Amino acid sequence: MSFQKSKFHHPRLPVNDLGLNYRDYEGALSTLCAGCGHDSITSAIVQACFELSLPPHQVAKMSGIGCSSKAPNYFLNKAHGFNTVHGRMPSVTTGANLANRELTYLAMSGDGDSASIGLGQFAHVVRRQLNMLYMVANNGVYGLTKGQLAATADRGMKNKVGEQSLFTDIDLCVMALQLGATFVARSFSGDKKQLVPLIKAAISHQGFAFIDIISPCVTFNNHPDSTRSYDYVHQHITTAAVTDFVPVKQEITSDCAAGICEDICLHDGSLMRIHKLQPDYETKNAMKAIVDIETHKKKGEILTGLFYLDANGEHYHEINNTTDTPLNKLTQDDLCPGSRVLSGINDSFR
Amino acid sequence: MKTTDTSSYQHFLKVVDCQHACPAHTPVPEYIRLIAEKRYTAAYMINWESNVFPGVLGRVCDRPCEPACRRSRVEEKPVAICRLKRVAADNKEDIHPYLPKVPTEKNGKRIALIGAGPASLTVARDLLPLGYDIVLFERDPKAGGMMRSQIPAFRLPETVLDEELNYILNMGVESHFGEDISSLSNLLKSGFDAVFVGTGAPNGRWLTIPGHDQVNCDGSTSVDTGINWLSNVTFGHNDSAPKRVVVLGGGNTAMDCCRTAKRLGATEVTVLVRSSFAAMKASPWEKEDAQAEGISIKANYTPIEYVLEAGKFVGVNFEQVTSVYDESGKRTLSNTGATLFVACDLVLVAVGQDTAFPWIERDIGLRFNKWQQPALNKATLQSSLEQVFFGGDAAYGPKNIITAVANGHQAAISIDIFCQGKNAETDRPESAFNLISQKMGIHDWSYDSNIDHQARNLVPHISWEEAVKTLNTEVELGFDEKLALEEAQRCLNCDVHTVFNESTCIECSACEDVCPTDCISFVDAGNEENSEAVNDQHILSQLKVTELNPEQELFVSAPLKTGHLMIKDEDVCLHCGLCAERCPTGAWDMKKLLLDNIAATIK
Ligand SMILES: Cc1cc2nc3c(=O)[nH]c(=O)nc-3n(C[C@H](O)[C@H](O)[C@H](O)COP(=O)(O)OP(=O)(O)OC[C@H]3O[C@@H](n4cnc5c(N)ncnc54)[C@H](O)[C@@H]3O)c2cc1C
Ligand SMILES: Cc1ncc(C[n+]2csc(CCOP(=O)(O)OP(=O)(O)O)c2C)c(N)n1
Ligand code: SF4
Ligand code: SF4
Ligand code: SF4
Ligand SMILES: [Mg+2]
C-alpha cells in the first residue's frame, strides 16, 4: 500500500505565472475509496488553481464533515484550511471571510453536509451572498457513515441495501437559484473538460458561486439501482452549454457567433465563453434555469453546465458596506482612534 | 489509433528500457531486485544466462542500458546498472552447481569457432549443453580476444576474465591456441557441420599523413597503432613507454592507450582529437578517468604531418579545426588557420580498426559487400555460404563486448537450427512470454513499489595518484554492500508492467488523477467520418502531457464502454502501482514480464 505519491513528475509539465507546476497544488495522497468521484473533483480543483496561478497561501479551504469534506486535505497543502463540524462550514466561512476578505474561499461539502444537517446554514450563506466558491460533492448518500440515502437522492432510488428514497429530493442548484446565488452550475466529477473551466470561472467570480458536482460513491452508491453510479451518469448526462474560461491576460482569438455563443465578462476582466448546446439556453434567467433543471429531471436526464450567472451582483461585503481593509488588518489605532476623533464625532451631532 | 497488440511480448519488452537497450536483453530489473534481496548468486546467474561475462561486463561494458534508463527521464542520472552487475559478480558464491550440464553423449555435430573472443565463446556456451562438439581456433596464446589483448588490467583484472572464460572452456571446448586460421577453404574441408567466424576487427588503422612512410624506418617504434601497442603490453612484449607520448583519436582505445602509457612511465601524455571534447567517441566515464589521472586532452586538433629531423622522428604537426554541423547533424571540420607542433617520442594511433579477411578465399561462394564485409542475413548472421556464420566485430565492424555476446546467442540459435536441416530464418523459434500478477493483498505487491528519490551513487576508486603507479591494479573498487543496496533501490522495476483490462474499467478516472507522471489519459476517440490522421491528431491533443519520446510507443486500449480510449504514455511511468491501487475494479494490475527464451528475442 502506498502512502505517498512520488515527487517525480513528467519532465514536460508546464509551469504557471508563479513558476509552479500543477503538482505544487496537490495535497496528501487520498485515503478515500479507490475510484471515489471526490478524488476527481480534487484533481479538477488542483488543475483550476494551477491554471489560475493562485498563490496557495492566499486560499482558505473550508469544509464540514463527510468523505467530501475530507477532500481538502488532498489538495493545496500549502493553503489555509478549516475542517469544521458537520453542516457548519458556512458559518465558519462567514466568520473567516469577515475577518479577511482578501483570501479565496474554496469550500467543499457533501450532499449530507449541505442538504441534511446543514441545510439551514446552506440557505443562509446563499442569502448572504458570501464571496466564496461553494462546491457540493453530490453522491446521493452519506458516504462516510456507510451509505444512508441523502436528501438529494432521487425519489424512488434505492441504496445499496435496498432501502428506497421515499421523500422528495432536494436540488441544491434550484435552492441556490431561488435564494439569489449569482453563479450556479452543475457538473460531473468525471467530466473535467467541463468542471475545470467552471471552477476557474467560479473562483474568479466575485460573489456567491455554487457548483453541485455529481460525484459517484463507488462503494455505497455505484450499484445498478442507483441514479448516481458511473454508468447511470455516463448514460443520462446532458449538457446545456460548454463553457470556456478565458483569463484576463489571454487574447480572445475567435469570434463569438451570435445565437450559439455568448461572452460574459467577469469582475476581474476575465471572460466566460459559453457555447450553447440547447438552442433556448440562457445565462441570465434564474427562473428559466429552474424550469430547465426540473424538466430534464422529469425526462430522467441530468442537466449540467452553467445555469445562471450575474457577474455584477453584490456580495456580502458590498451589501454591508464594510471597509476595504480586511478586518484582521485593522490596528488598534484604526479601531480605537482616541478621544480627539470621538470628540470630533460628538461635535458633529451638536 | 491502433489498439496495442499485446499478443506478443514486443510492446512489453520495449517498456523495459534497459533490457530493451541491452543487445542481449539482460533482464536488468530482475537482477537488481535480487541484489536488493542480497541474493547475489541468483543475480549473477540471471546475468550469466544473458550476457555470459557478468564480472567482465560489470566493469567494462559499454552500458547502452544506462542512457536508456527511464530514471534519467524523471531525474538526473540513470541507475548504475553496470556497477550493480559487478556487485553480483563480486559477492556471488560458487556457481558451479548452477552451470548447465553438458551431455556426455554428443549429438554428432562438430562446429568450428574461429577466434576466442566473446562472440565465439558465447556460441560455445550456448551449443555445448545441446550436445555439440566445439572446436576452437585462436591465434593468441590464450582465450578472451580483445577482452584480454586490449582492455587493460587496471580496468579488467585478469583473474576476473580468466574465471569467466574458464566456466566456458571447462564445459569441454576443444581449444587450439596459437593456431592461426589462414584458409577458410581448408577448414571447410575438415568436415565441420558449421563454422562460426568470430575473428573480431584486429587491424588498427594508420594515418597516412606526410611523414608516415619515413617514421619507424630507423628500426625504432615512433608511431604504432594503439591496438598493436596495447596487445604488446598485455602479452609482455612491451613494458615501458618513453617520456612524451601523443595519442591520436578520441575513442575508448585512445583512453586505454593514454592511461597505459602513463602507467608505463610516460610523464607527458597528450590525447589530441579532431572532434570537440563533447563529441569524442569515448564513454564519458573513460574521459573523466583519463583526466583525473593527469592526462591532457586537446580537442579540435587534426594531425597533418609527422615531423622528422635528420631522419629522426621529433613530433607531430596539427591544425586547429572547429566542428560545423549542418541541419542534418552532419559534421564538417573547418580550419581555424592555427597550427600546433607537439614534440614527442611515441605516437599511438587510435583512429579506428578494421576487420581482416585475407584468409577467406573469394572463390568459395562466400559473398562480400562493397566494403569488403561478408554479406550477412541480419536475422540469422548466416553468410552466403550456408554453413558459415559470423558474429561480433567480424560481422559488422568494431562494436563492443555485449554486442559480440548478443551476436553469439543469435548465431548459436541459427547454427542449431541449421544443423537440424532447417531454415535458420523461417524456422527460428520465438520466445513465449508470461505476465505474472504481483498482487499479494488488496494494495500489496510482491515487488517494492515505493519510489526512492536518492541520487545516483558514485563508485569508489583507489586514489588517482596510486592508480597511475601500477599497471595492473584495478582502479575502481566497486560498490560495497551498503552502496549496492542503496543503488538497487533506485531501480523503478520497469519489468513490472501496468496491465489494463478494458472490460472492467468503469471510467472513473481515478488512475488518471493519481498518476504522478501523467501517463494515463482517457480520451475521445474522434469521429469515424474523419481520416485516421485527423483522429490520431485529435487523440494526441488530449494527452495530459505531450509525449517526450515517440520511440517508446503509447499503449492504446480498445474502446471502452463510453467509446473513449485509455492511452498510456509508457515513457515516464514509474511503475509505482498507484494506478492499480486506486482502481476500484482491478482494471489495472501490476504484472511482471517473464520471457522464456531471451536469446530468441535478440533480433
Ligand atoms: C583498446 C580497446 C578497448 C576496448 N574496451 C572495451 C570496453 O571497455 N568495453 C567493451 O564492451 N568493448 C571494448 N572494446 C571492444 C571489444 O573488445 C570488442 O568489441 C570485442 O572484444 C569483440 O569481440 P569479438 O568476439 O567479436 O572479437 P575479439 O574480441 O576481437 O576476438 C577475436 C579473436 O579472434 C582471433 N583471431 C582473429 N583472426 C584469427 C584467425 N585468422 N585465426 C585465429 N584467430 C583469429 C583474435 O586473435 C582474437 O582473439 C575495446 C576495444 C579496444 C580495441
Ligand atoms: C453532528 C453530526 N451528526 C452526524 C454525524 C455523522 N456523519 C458524519 S458524515 C455524515 C454524512 C456525510 O454525508 P455527505 O456530506 O454526503 O458526505 P459524503 O461522505 O457522502 O461525501 C454524517 C451523518 C457527525 N459527524 N456529526
Ligand atoms: S464511501 Fe463513497 S464517498 Fe466515501 S470515499 Fe468511499 S467512494 Fe467516496
Ligand atoms: S504505475 Fe501507474 S500510477 Fe505509477 S507512474 Fe505508472 S501509470 Fe502512473
Ligand atoms: S481507476 Fe480503474 S476503473 Fe477507474 S478509470 Fe482507471 S482503470 Fe478504469
Ligand atoms: Mg454524500
Side-chain angles (χ1 to χ4, degrees):
Chain A
M1 167 98 176
S2 306
F3 299 99
Q4 254 174 355
K5 179 161 164 175
S6 168
K7 66 175 195 213
F8 289 152
H9 59 74
H10 198 294
R12 285 242 176 111
L13 277 197
V15 292
N16 64 15
D17 291 348
L18 302 177
L20 304 176
N21 64 46
Y22 88 86
R23 300 249 358 236
D24 296 318
Y25 288 83
E26 286 181 345
L29 188 60
S30 173
T31 56
L32 298 179
C33 303
C36 177
H38 304 354
D39 284 337
S40 298
I41 301 177
T42 289
S43 119
I45 294 171
V46 164
Q47 187 63 25
C49 293
F50 156 73
E51 287 178 14
L52 287 175
S53 299
L54 285 191
H57 66 283
Q58 297 281 42
V59 174
K61 309 177 290 183
M62 310 300 291
S63 64
I65 295 294
C67 297
S68 35
S69 297
K70 282 171 74 177
N73 191 30
Y74 313 130
F75 56 81
L76 271 73
N77 62 0
K78 296 184 186 79
H80 306 278
F82 202 140
N83 193 183
T84 72
V85 282
H86 204 17
R88 268 58 182 167
M89 177 273 285
S91 327
V92 179
T93 310
T94 305
N97 192 316
L98 267 179
N100 187 355
R101 61 185 289 173
E102 284 184 343
L103 297 183
T104 299
Y105 290 90
L106 295 186
M108 180 86 172
S109 176
D111 44 1
D113 197 54
S114 288
S116 297
I117 193 168
L119 191 65
Q121 296 246 328
F122 173 75
H124 286 284
V125 79
V126 185
R127 270 186 72 234
R128 250 177 246 142
Q129 307 283 29
L130 200 67
N131 184 14
M132 71 182 291
L133 166 55
Y134 195 126
M135 286 169 283
V136 165
N138 176 346
N139 55 11
V141 289
Y142 301 169
L144 192 71
T145 53
K146 308 279 169 276
Q148 300 82 354
L149 289 161
T152 54
D154 294 317
R155 186 174 190 168
M157 187 190 96
K158 280 191 189 143
N159 73 1
K160 198 178 180 179
V161 292
E163 184 196 348
Q164 201 168 28
S165 180
L166 301 175
F167 312 116
T168 312
D169 57 277
I170 292 175
D171 189 313
L172 291 172
C173 283
V174 170
M175 269 189 82
L177 286 162
Q178 283 170 341
L179 294 169
T182 46
F183 183 116
V184 180
R186 174 164 286 141
S187 189
F188 167 44
S189 62
D191 185 359
K192 289 204 198 59
K193 265 197 219 117
Q194 184 189 55
L195 185 52
V196 173
L198 281 175
I199 294 175
K200 283 162 71 180
I203 290 176
S204 304
H205 175 68
Q206 294 289 305
F208 185 82
F210 179 71
I211 311 180
D212 183 59
I213 308 164
I214 311 287
S215 175
C217 170
V218 73
T219 302
F220 296 112
N221 205 7
N222 198 40
H223 47 92
D225 287 335
S226 165
T227 57
R228 292 283 189 285
S229 66
Y230 280 105
D231 281 352
Y232 185 92
V233 178
H234 279 140
Q235 283 157 15
H236 294 84
I237 203 158
T238 37
T239 305
V242 178
T243 352
D244 284 337
F245 176 79
V246 189
V248 189
K249 59 181 165 71
Q250 190 179 312
E251 201 189 334
I252 298 161
T253 44
S254 64
D255 280 343
C256 194
I260 52 159
C261 175
E262 182 184 357
D263 283 343
I264 304 175
C265 194
L266 297 178
H267 214 261
D268 61 359
S270 56
L271 213 131
M272 280 209 86
R273 174 161 285 195
I274 319 254
H275 305 267
K276 302 177 185 182
L277 297 183
Q278 314 260 324
D280 60 342
Y281 171 83
E282 276 182 60
T283 53
K284 294 194 181 63
N285 188 341
M287 293 279 275
K288 178 163 182 308
I290 294 173
V291 174
D292 282 349
I293 293 170
E294 296 295 351
T295 321
H296 279 88
K297 197 177 292 172
K298 289 246 153 56
K299 289 194 278 181
E301 288 170 2
I302 306 167
L303 188 66
T304 62
L306 176 72
F307 294 145
Y308 177 72
L309 173 59
D310 174 5
N312 301 316
E314 285 192 312
H315 62 72
Y316 190 61
H317 283 284
E318 289 166 342
I319 296 167
N320 279 303
N321 200 18
T322 52
T323 162
D324 285 345
T325 315
L327 297 188
N328 69 344
K329 287 198 184 141
L330 294 178
T331 61
Q332 179 80 16
D333 287 348
D334 294 327
L335 294 170
C336 236
S339 47
R340 212 171 51 81
V341 178
L342 181 62
S343 56
I345 293 171
N346 284 343
D347 285 347
S348 74
F349 292 117
R350 292 216 165 91
Chain B
M1 267 184 171
K2 291 225 165 48
T3 305
T4 299
D5 176 11
T6 51
S7 63
S8 85
Y9 60 81
Q10 307 289 358
H11 177 81
F12 300 107
L13 178 57
K14 223 172 165 187
V15 170
V16 199
D17 301 284
C18 49
Q19 183 172 10
H20 188 250
C22 173
H25 298 329
T26 303
V28 174
E30 180 73 15
Y31 84 68
I32 294 184
R33 276 191 299 273
L34 289 167
I35 290 174
E37 293 170 27
K38 304 192 192 176
R39 290 170 60 194
Y40 302 115
T41 310
Y44 182 86
M45 290 315 293
I46 294 243
N47 272 291
W48 191 81
E49 262 304 307
S50 282
N51 54 53
V52 190
F53 304 101
V56 171
L57 291 165
R59 291 169 166 83
V60 302
C61 186
D62 252 1
R63 314 169 194 172
C65 54
E66 292 194 13
C69 172
R70 167 174 305 250
R71 182 107 187 168
S72 56
R73 282 174 240 142
V74 290
E75 66 140 326
E76 264 175 53
K77 296 248 170 80
V79 176
I81 299 169
C82 182
R83 267 67 189 253
L84 286 171
K85 196 188 309 295
R86 171 172 172 181
V87 168
D90 285 356
N91 296 288
K92 67 180 185 304
E93 290 155 6
D94 180 19
I95 66 153
H96 286 99
Y98 311 108
L99 293 177
K101 303 281 167 286
V102 176
T104 43
E105 198 158 312
K106 300 290 170 184
N107 68 4
K109 307 277 182 193
R110 268 163 64 83
I111 314 295
L113 310 179
I114 314 178
S120 290
L121 290 169
T122 300
V123 176
R125 199 219 47 190
D126 286 0
L127 292 182
L128 280 162
L130 303 180
Y132 287 86
D133 273 315
I134 300 293
V135 186
L136 175 71
F137 301 96
E138 165 60 55
R139 65 157 78 115
D140 281 347
K142 284 181 168 181
M146 289 194 169
M147 298 191 290
R148 182 184 305 279
S149 64
Q150 297 294 319
I151 301 181
F154 59 83
R155 289 206 290 128
L156 173 59
E158 204 176 2
T159 48
V160 175
L161 179 61
D162 284 340
E163 175 191 321
E164 292 189 330
L165 294 172
N166 286 337
Y167 292 140
I168 301 168
L169 297 175
N170 294 342
M171 284 166 90
V173 179
E174 181 189 324
S175 305
H176 300 262
F177 292 117
E179 197 164 326
D180 193 359
I181 297 298
S182 53
S183 161
L184 180 58
S185 163
N186 285 346
L187 186 75
L188 288 172
K189 285 176 198 142
S190 334
F192 288 105
D193 294 282
V195 173
F196 176 79
V197 181
T199 50
N203 282 6
R205 272 189 212 154
W206 296 92
L207 273 176
T208 50
I209 50 177
H212 171 74
D213 294 334
Q214 285 78 50
V215 293
N216 301 351
C217 288
D218 55 0
S220 71
T221 304
S222 310
V223 179
D224 203 351
T225 62
I227 69 170
N228 255 341
W229 187 78
L230 283 172
S231 72
N232 279 333
V233 173
T234 301
F235 293 113
H237 310 311
N238 191 354
D239 56 6
S240 70
K243 250 180 68 194
R244 300 167 306 170
V245 176
V246 155
V247 178
L248 302 178
N252 286 338
T253 305
M255 296 304 107
D256 283 338
C257 285
C258 64
R259 295 176 73 189
T260 303
K262 184 104 186 183
R263 284 164 171 77
L264 292 184
T267 47
E268 260 174 61
V269 185
T270 315
V271 177
L272 291 111
V273 50
R274 296 193 302 181
S275 74
S276 66
F277 184 80
M280 282 170 65
K281 289 222 180 75
S283 318
W285 59 90
E286 301 273 301
K287 296 197 275 184
E288 283 161 22
D289 290 356
Q291 287 181 310
E293 290 177 2
I295 285 147
S296 135
I297 299 180
K298 284 195 159 67
N300 301 315
Y301 282 98
T302 186
I304 48 173
E305 175 190 22
Y306 295 127
V307 183
L308 290 94
E309 274 173 15
K312 198 177 154 349
F313 173 76
V314 292
V316 190
N317 261 330
F318 293 87
E319 221 163 43
Q320 197 188 35
V321 291
T322 50
S323 299
V324 188
Y325 293 90
D326 69 8
E327 280 143 32
S328 66
K330 213 176 139 245
R331 183 184 73 175
T332 44
L333 295 176
S334 102
N335 215 326
T336 67
T339 56
L340 175 75
F341 172 71
V342 183
C344 64
D345 313 303
L346 172 66
V347 177
L348 296 175
V349 186
V351 296
Q353 294 155 246
D354 292 305
T355 53
F357 301 112
W359 52 277
I360 300 183
E361 294 79 357
R362 301 299 142 119
D363 58 359
I364 55 173
L366 202 157
R367 228 178 33 247
F368 281 78
N369 62 24
K370 61 178 173 200
W371 302 283
Q372 287 310 302
Q373 282 296 112
L376 303 175
N377 175 329
K378 226 175 152 42
T380 61
L381 299 176
Q382 192 169 28
S383 72
S384 57
L385 205 55
E386 60 172 11
Q387 72 276 38
V388 181
F389 299 80
F390 284 72
D393 289 357
Y396 296 106
K399 295 253 162 51
N400 51 34
I401 301 169
I402 189 65
T403 305
V405 168
N407 286 175
H409 289 310
Q410 241 179 316
I413 291 176
S414 303
I415 292 170
D416 184 36
I417 301 170
F418 172 74
C419 287
Q420 295 170 39
K422 295 192 272 189
N423 183 308
E425 185 168 14
T426 52
D427 297 325
R428 222 173 168 71
E430 184 51 291
S431 175
F433 77 109
N434 213 341
L435 290 158
I436 311 290
S437 175
Q438 303 295 293
K439 213 177 180 76
M440 298 239 291
I442 293 190
H443 291 145
D444 270 330
W445 308 109
S446 53
Y447 74 106
D448 182 0
S449 64
N450 230 6
I451 306 295
D452 179 280
H453 294 106
Q454 288 296 316
R456 178 175 166 123
N457 287 293
L458 296 176
V459 76
H461 54 79
I462 58 172
S463 80
W464 297 115
E465 297 75 48
E466 275 313 302
V468 293
K469 283 185 197 153
T470 53
L471 183 60
N472 295 334
T473 309
E474 187 171 18
V475 175
E476 287 189 0
L477 296 167
F479 286 146
D480 59 19
E481 190 163 79
K482 180 175 166 289
L483 287 175
L485 296 179
E486 256 178 53
E487 189 63 26
Q489 286 304 315
R490 296 180 70 239
C491 172
L492 297 170
N493 300 293
C494 299
D495 61 339
V496 180
H497 293 268
T498 56
V499 177
F500 183 65
N501 181 343
E502 286 88 346
S503 67
T504 44
C505 173
I506 57 170
E507 301 178 59
C508 69
S509 84
C511 51
E512 183 180 26
D513 294 336
V514 82
C515 176
T517 42
D518 292 277
C519 302
I520 301 171
S521 301
F522 285 82
V523 301
D524 180 82
N527 197 322
E528 271 181 22
E529 285 144 36
N530 292 338
S531 71
E532 200 179 318
V534 169
N535 281 337
D536 285 0
Q537 205 41 52
H538 174 67
I539 289 170
L540 290 176
S541 73
Q542 296 169 74
L543 296 188
K544 289 186 80 187
V545 187
T546 50
E547 229 185 327
L548 189 67
N549 167 20
E551 287 279 290
Q552 179 76 269
E553 279 152 30
L554 299 168
F555 178 93
V556 182
S557 78
L560 302 166
K561 236 183 272 172
T562 58
H564 287 182
L565 304 176
M566 193 288 298
I567 311 280
K568 187 182 164 221
D569 182 351
E570 297 282 15
D571 202 39
V572 285
C573 170
L574 304 173
H575 302 266
C576 66
L578 272 179
C579 49
E581 288 185 25
R582 297 305 294 165
C583 178
T585 66
W588 288 105
D589 195 2
M590 304 306 293
K591 295 187 176 184
K592 184 165 88 180
L593 173 67
L594 284 186
L595 294 164
D596 102 318
N597 182 355
I598 293 181
T601 66
I602 302 169
K603 305 285 178 201

